[in-house]
Amino acid sequence: MANRQQTDPAPQWWSRPEGTAEADRRHGVPTPRPDSGGEDHVQDAAPTQDVPTQDVPTQDVPTQDAPTQDAPTQDVPAPGVSDLTPDVPAAVPTVRYDPWGAEPLQVVDRGRTPRGIRLWQVVALSLGTALFAGGIGGYLGVLAERQSSTRLELPQAAGAADRGRAPESVAGIAATALPGVVTLHVRGTKGSGTGTGFVLDQQGHILTNSHVVADSQEITVTFSTGESVTAQLVGRDSGYDLAVVKVSGVRGLHPLSLGNSENVQVGDPVVAIGAPFDLSNTVTAGIISATGRPVTAGGDKGDGSDISYVDALQTDAPINPGNSGGPLLDAKAHVVGINSAIRGADKEDATRQGGSIGLGFAIPVNQGKRVAEELIRTGRATHPVIGVTLDMDYAGDGARVGDKGEDGKPSVVADGPGARAGIRAGDVITKVDGQRVRGGDELIIKIRAHRPGDPLTLTVLRGGRESTLKVVLGSANGS
């Protein structure tokens, strides 16, 4: 039988592509044993003999399926069968099928090399899983809580039910005074307004500011309990900016205790109660920031008849429109002043603040007490006077007595307190009881801080020389 199977060129489908053996080796294709071939091996070939390894050194025989670079691949006959394979010129590059070859013909396609799982994929998967699990857990928790019959109770600090406060604390002062503070709603011909007042006695007399009830037609008083009743005007005095109204048929009134404004000192703590902007029972706190502060207010009529002159207590406790007439209380809940006015920014200032800027003024309670007693008794109040007409246009230091009085009358009233003390037209009064005065308004305020009949010592500048005069205050009916 001829060995055409080995000598003739192999069929095309038996051809092994170039580089296939090396590529197969790199891809891990297992090398078949020589005796594992199928039915395609040569039937008449001589039996394979065992050839010792030493007769065919590996270093001298090049591997047929792994040619070296730039060298042509040539077939190396197996031992014992070299006469069956004709010599093939080395120049022929064609690789023929070798049934005894160490590599299979087929090439295994293993696809793309699989990539490993990256770190960001692990993090994203973990985060998504956590969020999903948290959402499911939260929903189940809320669902379980809503369906549970167990009562939920949050912890609370011990002593929450303790409502006791020290009497001298702001809360203690407010608790004492609030039952005696009222809110006034006034309706008049020019509109309506809100103010504050406080109870003076069990008869129902209430003290407030004159400008709160000016031109009033109807006055309604509301107590801290919410009860509202109608009040009647007893009397008012615009010079002191004080007024008294009265309620009838009200039981259980809580009059406030009156203190002594002469004992008030700068730095003393105070509490103000009122209805700023109609917010009833508002409590604010501060200190006395000054005493004896000369303050004038009013003057809307233009003739000076409605100007009030107050030797005021100054406080930084917030006071706003609606606080007028409310009490200013000391640490013992005693009334030391009647809140009357505030100082705002200048009217020419475009950024002027309409509310409190920390400058509030209260009428001293000693003055308020005297005026209230007179209003309750007679419906009018008296003013202490010295019987002279002042030059209100004088720009110098002190208060100058005018050259002429109203309607051409003498500036010093004949047989008046000033005339008896020796005051003359043109004199400049610079001090009252040793306290310097800087103008006519300040002199009026210092005089009105006293009662009619009180003696005063005046320092007078006349012809460049100072002299001291004694004067006993007279009395004039107020407006």
Side-chain angles (χ1 to χ4, degrees):
M1 180 176 179
N3 291 328
R4 295 179 61 184
Q5 186 175 2
Q6 291 191 3
T7 57
D8 293 343
Q12 186 65 33
W13 61 275
W14 275 355
S15 298
R16 177 179 296 170
E18 291 185 9
T20 302
E22 182 64 21
D24 294 344
R25 187 177 296 109
R26 286 196 306 268
H27 287 83
V29 179
T31 303
R33 296 179 60 87
D35 56 351
S36 61
E39 298 178 355
D40 294 331
H41 64 277
V42 181
Q43 299 293 333
D44 296 337
T48 304
Q49 297 179 0
D50 294 334
V51 181
T53 307
Q54 62 271 17
D55 293 343
V56 187
T58 56
Q59 62 272 18
D60 296 332
V61 181
T63 304
Q64 63 176 16
D65 293 330
T68 59
Q69 186 175 5
D70 300 331
T73 304
Q74 59 185 354
D75 295 333
V76 179
V81 292
S82 59
D83 57 331
L84 299 180
T85 304
D87 294 336
V88 179
V92 180
T94 304
V95 179
R96 300 183 181 278
Y97 171 66
D98 184 1
W100 306 107
E103 299 290 339
L105 288 178
Q106 68 271 21
V107 177
V108 179
D109 185 4
R110 296 181 180 271
R112 298 181 61 183
T113 303
R115 290 184 172 180
I117 299 178
R118 300 197 176 186
L119 179 60
W120 70 269
Q121 294 174 326
V122 175
V123 173
L125 181 61
S126 301
L127 182 59
T129 303
L131 291 175
F132 179 75
I136 294 296
Y139 173 76
L140 294 178
V142 172
L143 188 62
E145 180 181 349
R146 290 180 177 178
Q147 295 180 351
S148 175
S149 59
T150 304
R151 180 181 178 182
L152 176 63
E153 185 173 353
L154 299 176
Q156 188 174 18
D162 182 13
R163 302 179 62 87
R165 296 293 184 271
E168 66 275 8
S169 66
V170 175
I173 296 170
T176 302
L178 276 172
V181 181
V182 301
T183 301
L184 284 76
H185 295 93
V186 180
R187 184 175 61 85
T189 57
K190 297 181 180 180
S192 58
T194 303
T196 309
F198 58 93
V199 180
L200 292 173
D201 52 31
Q202 291 291 345
Q203 285 71 42
H205 292 104
I206 295 171
L207 183 62
T208 186
N209 283 145
S210 175
H211 71 265
V212 172
V213 296
D215 195 31
S216 61
Q217 292 181 328
E218 182 180 350
I219 303 172
T220 302
V221 172
T222 303
F223 294 88
S224 61
T225 58
E227 180 184 4
S228 296
V229 295
T230 301
Q232 301 297 324
L233 177 63
V234 175
R236 68 185 189 93
D237 187 278
S238 59
Y240 288 113
D241 194 20
L242 291 170
V244 174
V245 299
K246 184 179 180 182
V247 294
S248 301
V250 179
R251 298 181 179 180
L253 295 174
H254 296 270
L256 298 188
S257 299
L258 304 182
N260 186 351
S261 53
E262 294 293 333
N263 297 332
V264 174
Q265 296 184 9
V266 174
D268 285 347
V270 288
V271 172
I273 303 179
F277 302 102
D278 204 13
L279 300 173
S280 302
N281 305 321
T282 297
V283 178
T284 57
I287 62 169
I288 295 294
S289 52
T291 60
R293 186 73 75 192
V295 175
T296 59
D300 296 335
K301 291 184 178 181
D303 57 0
S305 61
D306 61 337
I307 297 178
S308 58
Y309 300 88
V310 180
D311 195 29
L313 301 174
Q314 181 179 302
T315 179
D316 66 349
I319 297 174
N320 291 284
N323 276 102
S324 296
L328 187 68
L329 305 146
D330 63 11
K332 296 181 179 179
H334 296 164
V335 180
V336 294
I338 301 95
N339 301 320
S340 179
I342 61 173
R343 169 67 175 173
D346 294 335
K347 294 182 179 180
E348 293 77 11
D349 187 358
T351 61
R352 181 183 182 189
Q353 182 176 345
S356 172
I357 61 172
L359 291 174
F361 304 99
I363 302 169
V365 71
N366 289 11
Q367 182 174 321
K369 177 178 179 295
R370 180 184 70 82
V371 174
E373 290 170 347
E374 291 185 354
L375 292 175
I376 293 172
R377 184 171 58 250
T378 65
R380 301 180 66 88
T382 59
H383 298 171
V385 295
I386 61 176
V388 299
T389 301
L390 299 177
D391 181 7
M392 303 304 291
D393 295 330
Y394 179 68
D397 190 21
R400 182 178 182 274
V401 179
D403 296 326
K404 291 184 179 181
E406 295 180 0
D407 300 329
K409 296 179 180 179
S411 58
V412 179
V413 178
D415 199 26
R420 291 193 294 267
I423 297 176
R424 300 177 184 177
D427 287 350
V428 177
I429 302 173
T430 58
K431 295 179 182 179
V432 176
D433 286 342
Q435 295 181 355
R436 181 171 295 277
V437 294
R438 297 173 177 80
D441 291 342
E442 218 171 305
L443 176 61
I444 297 173
I445 291 170
K446 294 297 183 183
I447 291 174
R448 289 192 179 181
H450 295 79
R451 293 173 178 268
D454 288 347
L456 294 179
T457 299
L458 304 178
T459 301
V460 178
L461 180 63
R462 181 188 300 166
R465 299 179 59 184
E466 283 189 344
S467 60
T468 300
L469 303 177
K470 299 287 187 181
V471 62
V472 177
L473 297 177
S475 177
N477 291 327
S479 56

